[in-house]
Amino acid sequence: MTEGTLLSVEDVIVDLPTPRGNLRAVDRVDLTIGAGRTLGVVGESGCGKTMLSRAILQLLPKRAKLSGRVMFDGQDLLQLSPEKLRKLRGRSLAVVFQDPMTSLNPVLTIGTQLIETLQEHLELDMAAATRRSVELLAAVGIPAPEQRLMQYPHQLSGGMRQRVAIAIALSCEPKLLIADEPTTALDVTIQAQILDLLAREQRRRHMAMILITHDLGVVAGRTDEVAVMYAGRVVERAPTPALFKKMRMPYTEALLAALPKIDAAPHTPLPAISGRPPDPTRPLKGCSFSPRCRYAWAQCHVEKPRLEESNSPAHQFACFRPIGTGAGAGA
Ligand SMILES: Nc1ncnc2c1ncn2[C@@H]1O[C@H](COP(=O)(O)OP(=O)(O)O)[C@@H](O)[C@H]1O
Ligand code: SF4
Ligand SMILES: [Mg+2]
């Protein structure tokens, strides 16, 4: 772990036993994030984004087997007691899930949930915790916050519920916020508002953030760095501007091509990536993307490319025929 690194994920593997055999949801992932930085994790549904975030949070399903190392703020999370982990999760490591109802308790008012979190982790008294709750709800754009404190989650819209979940996540000033598809369940207009809110609070609090999404468009302009995942692996990793300027991995290119174009005529069908990701209980010998890759050649079907850097150490990709290089595809 180098100086300034807040989180480092080292060679992390998550295996899940299933009736069809072992399912490798996360396959030897290495990632780092510095204090106050933002990392986007992007990939199609099922590629292991949530399992990776749950591995970091140590919130995997009971049957899951985790190997590797997760270092957060100088501590090895795999070595911490459940009690220490619980404290850490409320205090310096926070999460916002796709569905806010996963983290909100339906039978408690918004106020009780916020105030209890603040009392438990920051040891504030009732009056101070109530004041702070009102400030937090106002900060996440909830009108009439005093009244909202007395409401239950079901009395709010989906967008408002996600704002409350964000307020709870931010309440203890975490050092790292993991936002796992925080806007996927929301209307398009609300999505941008929530993403802007997260970006604003992240900068204001100098908090690090991992923004997980299936949509490459979401991380553009909102993250410092992007890791693209495919079939449980990180297949390309680069500073965000470099990724969009010079993507090397055919899968990243396909993800970009699958984005709706702003200037496209209305009702233009989306050029979805053809084919499906491989069955994670039946790993392929070669590159996991080879059955779908338009650049694949013989080597791709028999050998697995490793994540390696090219001329820039910050830009890594796992591909035998990287786009735009002398030896590669599209050259
Ligand atoms: N509780 C579970 N038990 C077994 N397999 C699971 C479980 N949750 C997810 N998976 C499988 O793990 C893989 C990764 O899933 P996930 O991390 O949820 O992907 P993503 O978040 O990128 O959509 C998928 O193949 C999925 O079917
Ligand atoms: S290694 Fe081969 S199959 Fe895999 S992405 Fe690169 S060119 Fe395509
Ligand atoms: Mg997910």
Side-chain angles (χ1 to χ4, degrees):
M1 217 161 132
T2 51
E3 207 189 335
T5 302
L6 176 66
L7 172 79
S8 82
V9 169
E10 299 163 22
D11 207 19
V12 162
I13 297 176
V14 177
D15 283 323
L16 295 155
T18 75
R20 303 190 60 241
N22 182 58
L23 183 154
R24 182 150 293 186
V26 177
D27 192 8
R28 316 202 76 148
V29 165
D30 288 295
L31 283 176
T32 55
I33 180 167
R37 309 278 293 170
T38 47
L39 169 72
V41 175
V42 187
E44 280 166 289
S45 173
C47 73
K49 306 181 297 295
T50 293
M51 282 301 144
L52 174 63
S53 64
R54 288 188 177 275
I56 296 170
L57 292 156
Q58 301 282 302
L59 284 177
L60 286 168
K62 272 209 172 60
R63 298 165 293 118
K65 201 170 140 275
L66 168 67
S67 72
R69 210 154 78 120
V70 181
M71 294 293 293
F72 174 71
D73 205 15
Q75 289 174 292
D76 184 345
L77 298 193
L78 273 66
Q79 305 301 327
L80 290 190
S81 66
E83 175 60 17
K84 283 223 167 96
L85 271 173
R86 205 179 57 80
K87 281 215 170 102
L88 191 82
R89 278 198 294 266
R91 184 78 183 86
S92 45
L93 183 56
V95 61
V96 175
F97 293 109
Q98 175 174 333
D99 175 7
M101 289 312 267
T102 338
S103 44
L104 296 178
N105 187 328
V107 302
L108 297 178
T109 62
I110 305 301
T112 305
Q113 299 186 54
L114 260 170
I115 291 164
E116 278 183 356
T117 308
L118 287 164
Q119 285 185 312
E120 181 184 343
H121 293 289
L122 299 187
E123 293 174 16
L124 298 182
D125 64 27
M126 187 67 180
T130 308
R131 255 198 325 275
R132 183 78 182 271
S133 300
V134 171
E135 285 166 14
L136 277 162
L137 290 183
V140 297
I142 293 189
E146 286 89 353
Q147 280 93 304
R148 296 291 183 180
L149 285 183
M150 288 170 288
Q151 293 190 317
Y152 290 87
H154 74 265
Q155 294 175 283
L156 306 182
S157 67
M160 284 293 156
R161 279 203 287 262
Q162 194 58 299
R163 284 175 197 268
V164 171
I166 293 170
I168 292 174
L170 295 176
S171 64
C172 299
E173 304 278 336
K175 291 182 183 170
L176 174 65
L177 175 71
I178 300 180
D180 187 357
E181 309 244 16
T183 60
T184 304
L186 304 174
D187 292 344
V188 179
T189 46
I190 314 288
Q191 284 187 16
Q193 291 172 13
I194 298 281
L195 291 167
D196 291 345
L197 161 70
L198 283 169
R200 191 183 68 226
E201 292 303 313
Q202 182 264 329
R203 276 195 300 271
R204 203 162 73 81
R205 294 162 192 270
H206 195 66
M207 166 181 86
M209 180 162 76
I210 300 180
L211 180 58
I212 298 176
T213 171
H214 63 277
D215 182 348
L216 198 54
V218 161
V219 298
R222 287 198 179 91
T223 52
D224 299 309
E225 217 192 331
V226 176
V228 177
M229 282 186 77
Y230 189 75
R233 291 187 164 219
V234 172
V235 293
E236 182 158 16
R237 188 184 159 190
T240 311
L243 186 88
F244 282 94
K245 201 163 149 226
K246 251 193 214 164
M247 49 188 58
R248 298 299 198 189
M249 176 67 194
Y251 177 63
T252 315
E253 182 190 59
L255 269 185
L256 186 72
L259 285 181
K261 301 282 179 298
I262 293 165
D263 53 1
H267 313 301
T268 309
L270 294 183
I273 311 172
S274 61
R276 292 161 56 86
D279 176 350
T281 61
R282 306 279 181 276
L284 298 179
K285 189 158 172 248
C287 171
S288 308
F289 192 51
S290 58
R292 304 167 82 187
C293 181
R294 62 192 182 113
Y295 305 119
W297 62 10
Q299 184 188 13
C300 305
H301 298 289
V302 289
E303 209 180 313
K304 222 175 241 325
R306 294 216 323 248
L307 187 69
E308 282 169 335
E309 60 200 48
S310 56
N311 34 12
S312 151
H315 194 159
Q316 305 173 322
F317 41 85
C319 179
F320 296 124
R321 302 196 68 201
I323 299 161
T325 61

